[in-house]
Amino acid sequence: MRSLLFVPADGGTKLDKAMASGADAVIIDLEDSIAPERKDLARKAALDFLKRAPAAAQRPRLLVRINGLDTGMTDADLDAVVAGKPDAVVFPKAEGATSVVHLDAKLTAQEAIAGLPEGHIKVLAQAVETAAGLFAAGTFRGASGRLIGLTWGPEDLSSELGATTNRDAHGNLTEPYQLARSMCLYAAAAAKLPAIETVYVDFRNSEGLRRDSEAARRDGFTGRLAIHPTQVPVINEVFTPTKAEIEKAKAVVAAFAAQPGAGAVGIEGKMYDRPHLVRAQALLARHGH
């Protein structure tokens, strides 16, 4: 999943537009974009949309962002939407393995009620959105077979910290949030899961989005959350390897295959060692080569 586009569950035609946006995943949001008094209506709208969404393999993955465990609304969300067979739920304010195990148990019960096979609904955890989440970020490995990735969010975190902003005058993350971003990367690597970069809120600034996304891919993120359909093409382009990158990865794999047991190989005058092989294999596997 390169691009994951948020849409409010009560967004009406925005949901249909999201499906046609080119996003790899559409996140039907029941959390931050829905006012408390509209939660019930949004749950019904989410279920209706899930039921009428096409089952075709080429459609985007359909995820539902539920409300976090601390809100007391998680069960009502799951009661409403599991029957719609979403591909996954986005789990806000996830705080380590314990919280994922808790959610896993809820999903298992709901799947049984809905007649779904256990483990059908996956989980994308928003792993670093709270201070407690940051300290628990290293515990996700092995927590649940449902986990398909980790992401993070500076907005809730900056609210908890009481910060006036999470970016400086140049639009760059300030130090506390650079740390949170890095912790998400390390947490995902430790859990052997993809790391998904957070949203770029200035959705009209396509060049800023491109620069920020290129930095995210450089650092190890494999995709990005989006808040507007116009962001999707840029995100998809940045997180899709170029033909040259694919060919280079194939060359690295082929060179090691030709020299079994070698610790390093030479290609066009440059040395590549085993970590380069691992990266090449991961890139090819992630993009179907």
Side-chain angles (χ1 to χ4, degrees):
M1 294 186 292
R2 301 161 300 174
S3 53
L4 302 90
L5 176 60
F6 277 110
V7 188
D10 61 357
T13 58
K14 290 181 181 179
L15 288 163
D16 295 310
K17 291 177 181 177
M19 293 291 284
S21 67
D24 293 331
V26 171
I27 302 173
I28 306 164
D29 190 24
L30 293 173
E31 196 212 15
D32 283 348
S33 66
I34 305 298
E37 64 273 13
R38 293 188 59 83
K39 296 289 187 185
D40 284 337
L41 288 172
R43 292 181 184 114
K44 182 179 183 303
L47 179 60
D48 290 345
F49 182 75
L50 287 167
K51 285 186 171 180
R52 66 181 172 85
Q58 64 266 27
R59 70 155 171 79
R61 290 194 194 185
L62 294 176
L63 286 65
V64 178
R65 181 162 69 169
I66 58 177
N67 289 278
L69 296 176
D70 63 338
T71 66
M73 293 186 282
T74 310
D75 289 337
D77 292 342
L78 296 178
D79 286 343
V81 303
V82 166
K85 303 179 183 179
D87 297 306
V89 295
V90 178
F91 182 22
K93 299 182 177 66
E95 294 180 348
T98 302
S99 68
V100 172
V101 170
H102 190 173
L103 178 61
D104 189 312
K106 290 180 180 294
L107 286 168
T108 297
Q110 291 284 352
E111 286 168 338
I113 293 168
L116 293 174
E118 183 176 337
H120 173 86
I121 299 173
K122 306 306 182 185
V123 174
L124 172 62
Q126 293 188 274
V128 189
E129 283 197 309
T130 66
L134 186 146
F135 286 109
T139 66
F140 286 98
R141 186 172 184 175
S144 170
R146 297 181 189 271
L147 280 170
I148 56 172
L150 302 180
T151 186
W152 74 289
E155 304 307 326
D156 285 301
L157 190 55
S158 59
S159 177
E160 182 178 7
L161 294 179
T164 57
T165 181
N166 49 46
R167 292 184 180 270
D168 62 21
H170 303 288
N172 300 313
L173 289 167
T174 58
E175 188 173 348
Y177 309 98
Q178 291 177 11
L179 172 62
R181 176 181 180 275
S182 296
M183 286 298 294
C184 178
L185 270 174
Y186 286 118
K192 300 189 182 303
L193 294 167
I196 306 296
E197 178 64 291
T198 193
V199 299
Y200 188 80
V201 295
D202 187 4
F203 64 85
R204 292 186 178 88
N205 183 358
S206 61
E207 284 308 309
L209 170 66
R210 181 179 297 277
R211 288 193 301 271
D212 201 72
S213 298
E214 287 172 346
R217 185 178 174 215
R218 174 201 67 202
D219 292 344
F221 288 97
T222 62
R224 175 158 222 160
L225 304 175
I227 55 171
H228 195 278
T230 59
Q231 295 183 314
V232 170
V234 174
I235 293 171
N236 283 348
E237 181 184 343
V238 170
F239 287 99
T240 300
T242 63
K243 183 178 179 180
E245 288 171 324
I246 293 292
E247 292 306 314
K248 178 180 175 182
K250 288 180 176 179
V252 170
V253 171
F256 275 97
Q259 301 181 54
V265 296
I267 303 174
E268 296 180 351
K270 293 184 179 180
M271 293 302 297
Y272 295 86
D273 56 17
R274 287 279 163 177
H276 291 102
L277 173 62
V278 172
R279 285 200 294 272
Q281 290 170 328
L283 184 147
L284 294 173
R286 195 160 58 242
H287 295 279
H289 291 273

